[in-house]
Amino acid sequence: MCGIIGVTGRDGCSRILLEGLRSLEYRGYDSAGVAVQTADGLVVVRRPGKLAELEGVLAEREPFGRTGIGHTRWATHGPPTQQNAHPHVDGPERVAVIHNGIIENHEALRAELVARGVTFRSETDTEILAHLVSERIEAGDDLGQATAHVAGRLDGSYSFAVVSADRPDELAAVRHQSPLILGIGDGANFLASDIPALLPHTKVVMPLEDDDVAVLTPDKVTVTDVHGQVVTRPVRTIDWDPVRIQKGGYRHFMMKEIEEQPAAVAATMTGCLTDDGFTIRIPALDALGDRLAQLERLTFVACGTSWHAGLAGKFFIENLVGIPVDVDYASEFRYRQTQAGPGHLVVPITQSGETLDTMVALRQAKQGGSPIVSVVNVPESAADRESDAAIMTEAGPEIGVASTKAFTTQLVALYMLALDLAGRRGALDAAALRERVQPLRRIRYAMEGALRHADAVRDVAHRYADARDFLFLGRGVNYPIALEGALKLKEISYIHAEGYPAGEMKHGPIALIDGDMPVVVVATPGRVYDKVLANIQEVRSRAGKVIAVCAEGDERVAAQADEVLEVPRVDEDLSCLVNVVPLQLLAYFIAEKRGCDIDQPRNLAKSVTVE
Ligand code: F6R
């Protein structure tokens, strides 16, 4: 939610901020703004709507300034108007602030400021920050001290950055439960809420920790705690290629990312295969030593698409390792009396590594004594740093708001986790493990095969793009795929869709089926194949239109379905990786046909760092 960027020490600052905001726009796109230091003081430009609106205004002049901050907003307090767009300024317009998160005690602080005569111009929780920092500077604090002092008065989750006309080369910022990363450059320094915004300028980053206060000048970065004590934070080099955050000729990031999946899945396996290539051994898990042998149960905690991956993970672990598995929404886990402890492994699954609910669940489980193994995509994110071990999905930057390659790399990571645990705990012998590793290594080719059917999926999508509702059915490891297919369609095409376990249909949802209801059924070979065929019959008997995901050349399914979305034939366990591809494509092509904004669906934002 909300993207923030700051730079000090680079000519053409307004352009650099805009470019940074472009790569952060997936975090929110309700309004955007910048505040840039100039010889005449702070120049603040803000516009409601997509970044293009701000771009249009800034294009009227040459890039200007060397130091400034920029923001792209996902509205929480106050509608997406110009008045509520960040940066927010103090009365004399000498201090400007951008903020990501929610300040829970903003009403009390606002009342206090109003009582002191401050006039507010917006409905946001953020504006108080500009006035409070301004007051502290008036009282003699420097920018860092003022920022630290104000942070000490806040409840909630936030990262914010400040510039002051009195310190034309300085940026100050603080992090508290919302991501903030510094970029260390040559004669220039940067800050951003996400690594991709820093990559065009530097690969050397310093992730801040909660309650760190940073002061940046072109030549120096100082980090203190809120009491002003200097703290040292490790500097890391990120090897993501900046080219990967560009569209590279695609109309949408989502399609680029769908097509990147085979390579991303293969990259996620790299480093986890033993030298002979026959066994999975995840090096990160070695850190847990004997604790893995003593596990009695496992819980996945995640949100949204990552939660769907957890459901597939349950299938893998229960089948291959034989320990009981729960899959919890992080937002539910955190508000229950959950049983943590040394024998209970908790596995947060998160692309961003910053989702607030997932992070709170992680911390709660850790505090209860559970070992934590995260499945995470963004290196140096909070989940990566705070876990006992992190299995990195190598999807690279995922920019499309609807998650695709992060999901399939999570599925692979979870399958590898199951194989690794099965090996370490002796649940499967070497021969049984080897039997499963070979198909896993080949799965990327089956995913490529599924992508080759894209034109056929487009034809089907165009025939059903006007449907009002969709039902998605699947069983076993493909039940999460039905949920994921429905979520993708909802998110980017705004068509109402429900995912259901196919066997449950007769307990309720069957009442919805009529001639206007397309029902997407995942019907690839496996233990429940015949059962799924029976479910297809149940739909047809009620005049429902069946769109079946089936193995190439499967005539039994083709004879019963109205439409088929063919995929290469693979082992049942791994079929989820292949079957999700046509469903991602179906959602994409339907949304495209309906003229929807595929990469930036309404109301959504990537990386949900508020509750
Ligand atoms: C859906 C989607 C979201 C995320 C969810 C969790 O396409 O992207 O449902 O999966 O917000 O995000 P992470 O995985 O970053 O914790």
Short mmCIF file of all heavy atoms in Angstrom, two decimals, residues 515-567:
data_model
loop_
_atom_site.label_atom_id
_atom_site.label_comp_id
_atom_site.label_asym_id
_atom_site.label_seq_id
_atom_site.Cartn_x
_atom_site.Cartn_y
_atom_site.Cartn_z
N GLY A 515 -28.26 -22.04 -17.47
CA GLY A 515 -27.64 -21.93 -18.79
C GLY A 515 -26.72 -20.72 -18.94
O GLY A 515 -25.95 -20.64 -19.89
N ASP A 516 -26.78 -19.78 -18.00
CA ASP A 516 -25.93 -18.58 -18.11
C ASP A 516 -24.65 -18.70 -17.29
O ASP A 516 -23.89 -17.73 -17.21
CB ASP A 516 -26.70 -17.35 -17.58
CG ASP A 516 -27.88 -17.04 -18.47
OD1 ASP A 516 -27.78 -17.31 -19.68
OD2 ASP A 516 -28.90 -16.55 -17.93
N MET A 517 -24.48 -19.84 -16.64
CA MET A 517 -23.36 -19.92 -15.69
C MET A 517 -22.23 -20.77 -16.23
O MET A 517 -22.32 -22.00 -16.27
CB MET A 517 -23.88 -20.54 -14.38
CG MET A 517 -22.79 -20.90 -13.40
SD MET A 517 -22.12 -19.45 -12.61
CE MET A 517 -22.92 -19.62 -11.03
N PRO A 518 -21.11 -20.14 -16.68
CA PRO A 518 -19.96 -20.96 -17.07
C PRO A 518 -19.34 -21.58 -15.82
O PRO A 518 -19.15 -20.90 -14.81
CB PRO A 518 -18.99 -19.95 -17.70
CG PRO A 518 -19.69 -18.64 -17.73
CD PRO A 518 -20.87 -18.71 -16.82
N VAL A 519 -19.03 -22.87 -15.91
CA VAL A 519 -18.40 -23.57 -14.79
C VAL A 519 -17.06 -24.11 -15.29
O VAL A 519 -17.02 -24.93 -16.21
CB VAL A 519 -19.29 -24.73 -14.29
CG1 VAL A 519 -18.65 -25.40 -13.07
CG2 VAL A 519 -20.68 -24.21 -13.94
N VAL A 520 -16.00 -23.60 -14.70
CA VAL A 520 -14.66 -24.04 -15.09
C VAL A 520 -14.30 -25.22 -14.19
O VAL A 520 -14.30 -25.08 -12.96
CB VAL A 520 -13.64 -22.90 -14.93
CG1 VAL A 520 -12.24 -23.38 -15.32
CG2 VAL A 520 -14.06 -21.68 -15.75
N VAL A 521 -14.01 -26.36 -14.80
CA VAL A 521 -13.72 -27.56 -14.00
C VAL A 521 -12.30 -28.02 -14.31
O VAL A 521 -11.96 -28.21 -15.48
CB VAL A 521 -14.72 -28.70 -14.34
CG1 VAL A 521 -14.51 -29.86 -13.38
CG2 VAL A 521 -16.15 -28.21 -14.27
N VAL A 522 -11.51 -28.20 -13.27
CA VAL A 522 -10.15 -28.73 -13.48
C VAL A 522 -10.26 -30.25 -13.49
O VAL A 522 -10.59 -30.86 -12.45
CB VAL A 522 -9.17 -28.24 -12.39
CG1 VAL A 522 -7.76 -28.72 -12.71
CG2 VAL A 522 -9.22 -26.73 -12.27
N ALA A 523 -10.04 -30.85 -14.64
CA ALA A 523 -10.34 -32.28 -14.82
C ALA A 523 -9.15 -33.01 -15.43
O ALA A 523 -9.28 -33.69 -16.45
CB ALA A 523 -11.58 -32.43 -15.70
N THR A 524 -7.99 -32.85 -14.82
CA THR A 524 -6.80 -33.54 -15.34
C THR A 524 -6.63 -34.88 -14.62
O THR A 524 -7.21 -35.09 -13.55
CB THR A 524 -5.55 -32.64 -15.17
OG1 THR A 524 -5.55 -32.13 -13.84
CG2 THR A 524 -5.56 -31.50 -16.16
N PRO A 525 -5.83 -35.81 -15.20
CA PRO A 525 -5.73 -37.15 -14.63
C PRO A 525 -5.25 -37.16 -13.18
O PRO A 525 -4.45 -36.32 -12.78
CB PRO A 525 -4.70 -37.84 -15.53
CG PRO A 525 -4.71 -37.05 -16.79
CD PRO A 525 -5.07 -35.65 -16.43
N GLY A 526 -5.76 -38.13 -12.42
CA GLY A 526 -5.36 -38.26 -11.01
C GLY A 526 -6.37 -39.12 -10.28
O GLY A 526 -7.33 -39.61 -10.88
N ARG A 527 -6.15 -39.22 -8.96
CA ARG A 527 -7.01 -40.08 -8.14
C ARG A 527 -8.49 -39.76 -8.26
O ARG A 527 -9.34 -40.61 -8.11
CB ARG A 527 -6.61 -39.93 -6.67
CG ARG A 527 -5.51 -40.87 -6.26
CD ARG A 527 -4.80 -40.35 -5.03
NE ARG A 527 -3.87 -39.28 -5.43
CZ ARG A 527 -2.91 -38.80 -4.66
NH1 ARG A 527 -2.78 -39.25 -3.44
NH2 ARG A 527 -2.09 -37.86 -5.09
N VAL A 528 -8.81 -38.48 -8.46
CA VAL A 528 -10.22 -38.08 -8.40
C VAL A 528 -10.80 -37.80 -9.79
O VAL A 528 -11.87 -37.21 -9.91
CB VAL A 528 -10.38 -36.83 -7.50
CG1 VAL A 528 -10.21 -37.20 -6.03
CG2 VAL A 528 -9.39 -35.74 -7.90
N TYR A 529 -10.08 -38.25 -10.82
CA TYR A 529 -10.49 -37.94 -12.19
C TYR A 529 -11.93 -38.37 -12.46
O TYR A 529 -12.76 -37.59 -12.94
CB TYR A 529 -9.50 -38.65 -13.14
CG TYR A 529 -9.82 -38.56 -14.61
CD1 TYR A 529 -9.58 -37.38 -15.31
CD2 TYR A 529 -10.32 -39.66 -15.30
CE1 TYR A 529 -9.85 -37.30 -16.68
CE2 TYR A 529 -10.58 -39.59 -16.65
CZ TYR A 529 -10.35 -38.40 -17.34
OH TYR A 529 -10.62 -38.33 -18.68
N ASP A 530 -12.28 -39.63 -12.12
CA ASP A 530 -13.64 -40.11 -12.40
C ASP A 530 -14.68 -39.32 -11.62
O ASP A 530 -15.77 -39.07 -12.10
CB ASP A 530 -13.75 -41.60 -12.08
CG ASP A 530 -13.03 -42.42 -13.15
OD1 ASP A 530 -13.10 -42.04 -14.33
OD2 ASP A 530 -12.36 -43.41 -12.78
N LYS A 531 -14.31 -38.97 -10.41
CA LYS A 531 -15.25 -38.19 -9.58
C LYS A 531 -15.50 -36.83 -10.24
O LYS A 531 -16.63 -36.32 -10.25
CB LYS A 531 -14.67 -37.93 -8.19
CG LYS A 531 -14.16 -39.14 -7.51
CD LYS A 531 -15.25 -39.79 -6.66
CE LYS A 531 -14.75 -41.05 -6.01
NZ LYS A 531 -15.68 -42.16 -6.12
N VAL A 532 -14.45 -36.24 -10.77
CA VAL A 532 -14.62 -34.92 -11.40
C VAL A 532 -15.49 -35.05 -12.65
O VAL A 532 -16.33 -34.19 -12.92
CB VAL A 532 -13.25 -34.28 -11.72
CG1 VAL A 532 -13.42 -32.98 -12.49
CG2 VAL A 532 -12.48 -34.01 -10.44
N LEU A 533 -15.29 -36.15 -13.39
CA LEU A 533 -16.16 -36.36 -14.57
C LEU A 533 -17.62 -36.43 -14.14
O LEU A 533 -18.51 -35.89 -14.81
CB LEU A 533 -15.75 -37.63 -15.31
CG LEU A 533 -14.47 -37.51 -16.14
CD1 LEU A 533 -14.21 -38.81 -16.90
CD2 LEU A 533 -14.56 -36.36 -17.12
N ALA A 534 -17.87 -37.06 -13.01
CA ALA A 534 -19.25 -37.14 -12.50
C ALA A 534 -19.75 -35.73 -12.15
O ALA A 534 -20.90 -35.39 -12.41
CB ALA A 534 -19.30 -38.05 -11.28
N ASN A 535 -18.87 -34.91 -11.59
CA ASN A 535 -19.27 -33.53 -11.27
C ASN A 535 -19.60 -32.75 -12.55
O ASN A 535 -20.53 -31.94 -12.56
CB ASN A 535 -18.16 -32.80 -10.50
CG ASN A 535 -17.83 -33.44 -9.16
OD1 ASN A 535 -16.67 -33.57 -8.79
ND2 ASN A 535 -18.85 -33.86 -8.43
N ILE A 536 -18.86 -33.02 -13.62
CA ILE A 536 -19.15 -32.35 -14.90
C ILE A 536 -20.57 -32.73 -15.35
O ILE A 536 -21.35 -31.88 -15.78
CB ILE A 536 -18.10 -32.73 -15.97
CG1 ILE A 536 -16.75 -32.09 -15.62
CG2 ILE A 536 -18.56 -32.31 -17.37
CD1 ILE A 536 -15.63 -32.40 -16.61
N GLN A 537 -20.88 -33.99 -15.20
CA GLN A 537 -22.24 -34.44 -15.58
C GLN A 537 -23.31 -33.70 -14.78
O GLN A 537 -24.35 -33.32 -15.30
CB GLN A 537 -22.37 -35.95 -15.34
CG GLN A 537 -21.74 -36.80 -16.42
CD GLN A 537 -22.24 -36.41 -17.82
OE1 GLN A 537 -23.41 -36.10 -18.02
NE2 GLN A 537 -21.33 -36.40 -18.78
N GLU A 538 -23.02 -33.53 -13.50
CA GLU A 538 -24.00 -32.83 -12.63
C GLU A 538 -24.24 -31.40 -13.13
O GLU A 538 -25.36 -30.90 -13.10
CB GLU A 538 -23.49 -32.79 -11.19
CG GLU A 538 -23.50 -34.15 -10.49
CD GLU A 538 -22.56 -34.21 -9.28
OE1 GLU A 538 -22.01 -33.16 -8.87
OE2 GLU A 538 -22.34 -35.32 -8.78
N VAL A 539 -23.17 -30.77 -13.62
CA VAL A 539 -23.31 -29.39 -14.13
C VAL A 539 -24.11 -29.42 -15.43
O VAL A 539 -25.04 -28.64 -15.64
CB VAL A 539 -21.92 -28.75 -14.37
CG1 VAL A 539 -22.06 -27.39 -15.05
CG2 VAL A 539 -21.15 -28.63 -13.07
N ARG A 540 -23.74 -30.36 -16.30
CA ARG A 540 -24.42 -30.43 -17.62
C ARG A 540 -25.91 -30.72 -17.48
O ARG A 540 -26.73 -30.18 -18.21
CB ARG A 540 -23.75 -31.50 -18.47
CG ARG A 540 -22.47 -31.01 -19.11
CD ARG A 540 -21.76 -32.15 -19.78
NE ARG A 540 -22.56 -32.75 -20.83
CZ ARG A 540 -22.63 -32.31 -22.09
NH1 ARG A 540 -21.92 -31.25 -22.44
NH2 ARG A 540 -23.37 -32.92 -22.99
N SER A 541 -26.24 -31.56 -16.51
CA SER A 541 -27.66 -31.91 -16.32
C SER A 541 -28.48 -30.68 -15.94
O SER A 541 -29.69 -30.71 -16.00
CB SER A 541 -27.83 -32.94 -15.21
OG SER A 541 -26.90 -33.93 -15.35
N ARG A 542 -27.81 -29.64 -15.48
CA ARG A 542 -28.53 -28.41 -15.11
C ARG A 542 -28.26 -27.30 -16.12
O ARG A 542 -28.37 -26.12 -15.81
CB ARG A 542 -28.10 -27.96 -13.71
CG ARG A 542 -28.85 -28.73 -12.65
CD ARG A 542 -27.95 -29.33 -11.60
NE ARG A 542 -28.72 -30.30 -10.80
CZ ARG A 542 -28.44 -31.60 -10.74
NH1 ARG A 542 -27.44 -32.11 -11.44
NH2 ARG A 542 -29.17 -32.41 -10.01
N ALA A 543 -27.86 -27.69 -17.31
CA ALA A 543 -27.65 -26.78 -18.45
C ALA A 543 -26.47 -25.83 -18.28
O ALA A 543 -26.32 -24.88 -19.05
CB ALA A 543 -28.93 -25.98 -18.74
N GLY A 544 -25.63 -26.06 -17.24
CA GLY A 544 -24.44 -25.21 -17.06
C GLY A 544 -23.46 -25.41 -18.21
O GLY A 544 -23.41 -26.48 -18.82
N LYS A 545 -22.69 -24.36 -18.52
CA LYS A 545 -21.69 -24.46 -19.60
C LYS A 545 -20.36 -24.89 -18.97
O LYS A 545 -19.85 -24.21 -18.08
CB LYS A 545 -21.49 -23.07 -20.23
CG LYS A 545 -22.70 -22.58 -21.00
CD LYS A 545 -22.62 -23.07 -22.44
CE LYS A 545 -23.83 -22.68 -23.26
NZ LYS A 545 -25.10 -23.31 -22.84
N VAL A 546 -19.83 -26.01 -19.44
CA VAL A 546 -18.60 -26.53 -18.82
C VAL A 546 -17.36 -26.14 -19.63
O VAL A 546 -17.28 -26.42 -20.83
CB VAL A 546 -18.67 -28.07 -18.69
CG1 VAL A 546 -17.34 -28.63 -18.18
CG2 VAL A 546 -19.81 -28.47 -17.77
N ILE A 547 -16.44 -25.47 -18.96
CA ILE A 547 -15.13 -25.17 -19.55
C ILE A 547 -14.14 -26.04 -18.77
O ILE A 547 -13.94 -25.81 -17.58
CB ILE A 547 -14.76 -23.68 -19.38
CG1 ILE A 547 -15.83 -22.79 -20.00
CG2 ILE A 547 -13.37 -23.39 -19.95
CD1 ILE A 547 -15.67 -21.30 -19.69
N ALA A 548 -13.59 -27.07 -19.42
CA ALA A 548 -12.77 -28.03 -18.67
C ALA A 548 -11.28 -27.81 -18.95
O ALA A 548 -10.88 -27.68 -20.10
CB ALA A 548 -13.17 -29.44 -19.04
N VAL A 549 -10.50 -27.79 -17.89
CA VAL A 549 -9.04 -27.86 -18.03
C VAL A 549 -8.72 -29.35 -18.07
O VAL A 549 -9.01 -30.07 -17.11
CB VAL A 549 -8.32 -27.19 -16.84
CG1 VAL A 549 -6.81 -27.35 -16.98
CG2 VAL A 549 -8.72 -25.73 -16.71
N CYS A 550 -8.18 -29.82 -19.18
CA CYS A 550 -7.94 -31.27 -19.29
C CYS A 550 -6.61 -31.55 -19.98
O CYS A 550 -6.00 -30.66 -20.58
CB CYS A 550 -9.09 -31.94 -20.05
SG CYS A 550 -9.16 -31.47 -21.76
N ALA A 551 -6.19 -32.80 -19.87
CA ALA A 551 -4.92 -33.20 -20.50
C ALA A 551 -5.10 -33.19 -22.02
O ALA A 551 -6.19 -33.48 -22.53
CB ALA A 551 -4.54 -34.59 -20.02
N GLU A 552 -4.02 -32.83 -22.72
CA GLU A 552 -4.07 -32.79 -24.19
C GLU A 552 -4.59 -34.12 -24.72
O GLU A 552 -4.16 -35.19 -24.28
CB GLU A 552 -2.66 -32.53 -24.74
CG GLU A 552 -2.20 -31.09 -24.51
CD GLU A 552 -0.70 -30.91 -24.68
OE1 GLU A 552 0.02 -31.91 -24.80
OE2 GLU A 552 -0.25 -29.74 -24.65
N GLY A 553 -5.55 -34.06 -25.60
CA GLY A 553 -6.08 -35.27 -26.24
C GLY A 553 -7.03 -36.07 -25.38
O GLY A 553 -7.39 -37.19 -25.74
N ASP A 554 -7.47 -35.56 -24.25
CA ASP A 554 -8.39 -36.32 -23.39
C ASP A 554 -9.80 -36.27 -23.99
O ASP A 554 -10.54 -35.30 -23.82
CB ASP A 554 -8.38 -35.73 -21.97
CG ASP A 554 -9.22 -36.58 -21.01
OD1 ASP A 554 -10.17 -37.25 -21.48
OD2 ASP A 554 -8.94 -36.55 -19.81
N GLU A 555 -10.15 -37.35 -24.68
CA GLU A 555 -11.44 -37.34 -25.39
C GLU A 555 -12.62 -37.52 -24.48
O GLU A 555 -13.73 -37.06 -24.77
CB GLU A 555 -11.42 -38.38 -26.49
CG GLU A 555 -10.48 -37.92 -27.59
CD GLU A 555 -10.33 -38.90 -28.72
OE1 GLU A 555 -11.03 -39.93 -28.73
OE2 GLU A 555 -9.48 -38.62 -29.58
N ARG A 556 -12.40 -38.19 -23.34
CA ARG A 556 -13.53 -38.38 -22.41
C ARG A 556 -14.01 -37.02 -21.91
O ARG A 556 -15.20 -36.74 -21.88
CB ARG A 556 -13.09 -39.21 -21.21
CG ARG A 556 -13.16 -40.69 -21.49
CD ARG A 556 -12.81 -41.48 -20.26
NE ARG A 556 -13.89 -41.53 -19.28
CZ ARG A 556 -13.74 -41.95 -18.02
NH1 ARG A 556 -12.56 -42.31 -17.58
NH2 ARG A 556 -14.77 -41.99 -17.20
N VAL A 557 -13.08 -36.18 -21.52
CA VAL A 557 -13.48 -34.85 -21.03
C VAL A 557 -14.02 -34.03 -22.19
O VAL A 557 -15.09 -33.40 -22.08
CB VAL A 557 -12.29 -34.12 -20.35
CG1 VAL A 557 -12.69 -32.70 -19.98
CG2 VAL A 557 -11.83 -34.87 -19.12
N ALA A 558 -13.32 -34.08 -23.34
CA ALA A 558 -13.75 -33.27 -24.49
C ALA A 558 -15.19 -33.60 -24.89
O ALA A 558 -15.95 -32.71 -25.26
CB ALA A 558 -12.79 -33.48 -25.65
N ALA A 559 -15.56 -34.87 -24.76
CA ALA A 559 -16.90 -35.28 -25.17
C ALA A 559 -17.97 -34.69 -24.25
O ALA A 559 -19.12 -34.55 -24.64
CB ALA A 559 -16.99 -36.80 -25.17
N GLN A 560 -17.59 -34.36 -23.04
CA GLN A 560 -18.60 -33.89 -22.08
C GLN A 560 -18.60 -32.39 -21.88
O GLN A 560 -19.57 -31.82 -21.35
CB GLN A 560 -18.35 -34.56 -20.74
CG GLN A 560 -18.50 -36.07 -20.83
CD GLN A 560 -18.36 -36.73 -19.47
OE1 GLN A 560 -18.65 -36.13 -18.46
NE2 GLN A 560 -17.91 -37.96 -19.48
N ALA A 561 -17.49 -31.74 -22.25
CA ALA A 561 -17.37 -30.31 -21.94
C ALA A 561 -17.81 -29.46 -23.13
O ALA A 561 -17.77 -29.92 -24.27
CB ALA A 561 -15.93 -30.00 -21.58
N ASP A 562 -18.23 -28.23 -22.86
CA ASP A 562 -18.54 -27.30 -23.95
C ASP A 562 -17.24 -26.73 -24.54
O ASP A 562 -17.17 -26.43 -25.72
CB ASP A 562 -19.40 -26.15 -23.41
CG ASP A 562 -20.75 -26.67 -22.94
OD1 ASP A 562 -21.63 -26.83 -23.79
OD2 ASP A 562 -20.89 -26.98 -21.74
N GLU A 563 -16.27 -26.55 -23.67
CA GLU A 563 -14.98 -26.00 -24.11
C GLU A 563 -13.89 -26.75 -23.37
O GLU A 563 -14.09 -27.14 -22.22
CB GLU A 563 -14.84 -24.51 -23.69
CG GLU A 563 -16.02 -23.64 -23.98
CD GLU A 563 -16.06 -23.17 -25.44
OE1 GLU A 563 -15.12 -23.50 -26.19
OE2 GLU A 563 -17.03 -22.50 -25.80
N VAL A 564 -12.74 -26.89 -24.03
CA VAL A 564 -11.60 -27.46 -23.28
C VAL A 564 -10.42 -26.49 -23.31
O VAL A 564 -10.19 -25.81 -24.30
CB VAL A 564 -11.15 -28.84 -23.81
CG1 VAL A 564 -12.16 -29.91 -23.50
CG2 VAL A 564 -10.84 -28.78 -25.29
N LEU A 565 -9.71 -26.45 -22.20
CA LEU A 565 -8.44 -25.72 -22.11
C LEU A 565 -7.39 -26.80 -21.87
O LEU A 565 -7.30 -27.36 -20.77
CB LEU A 565 -8.48 -24.73 -20.94
CG LEU A 565 -9.65 -23.73 -20.91
CD1 LEU A 565 -9.60 -22.88 -19.64
CD2 LEU A 565 -9.62 -22.85 -22.15
N GLU A 566 -6.65 -27.13 -22.94
CA GLU A 566 -5.74 -28.29 -22.84
C GLU A 566 -4.40 -27.91 -22.21
O GLU A 566 -3.90 -26.80 -22.42
CB GLU A 566 -5.51 -28.87 -24.23
CG GLU A 566 -6.74 -29.58 -24.76
CD GLU A 566 -6.44 -30.34 -26.04
OE1 GLU A 566 -5.85 -29.74 -26.96
OE2 GLU A 566 -6.78 -31.54 -26.10
N VAL A 567 -3.86 -28.88 -21.47
CA VAL A 567 -2.53 -28.72 -20.86
C VAL A 567 -1.77 -30.03 -21.03
O VAL A 567 -2.40 -31.10 -21.13
CB VAL A 567 -2.63 -28.39 -19.35
CG1 VAL A 567 -3.20 -27.01 -19.11
CG2 VAL A 567 -3.44 -29.43 -18.59
#
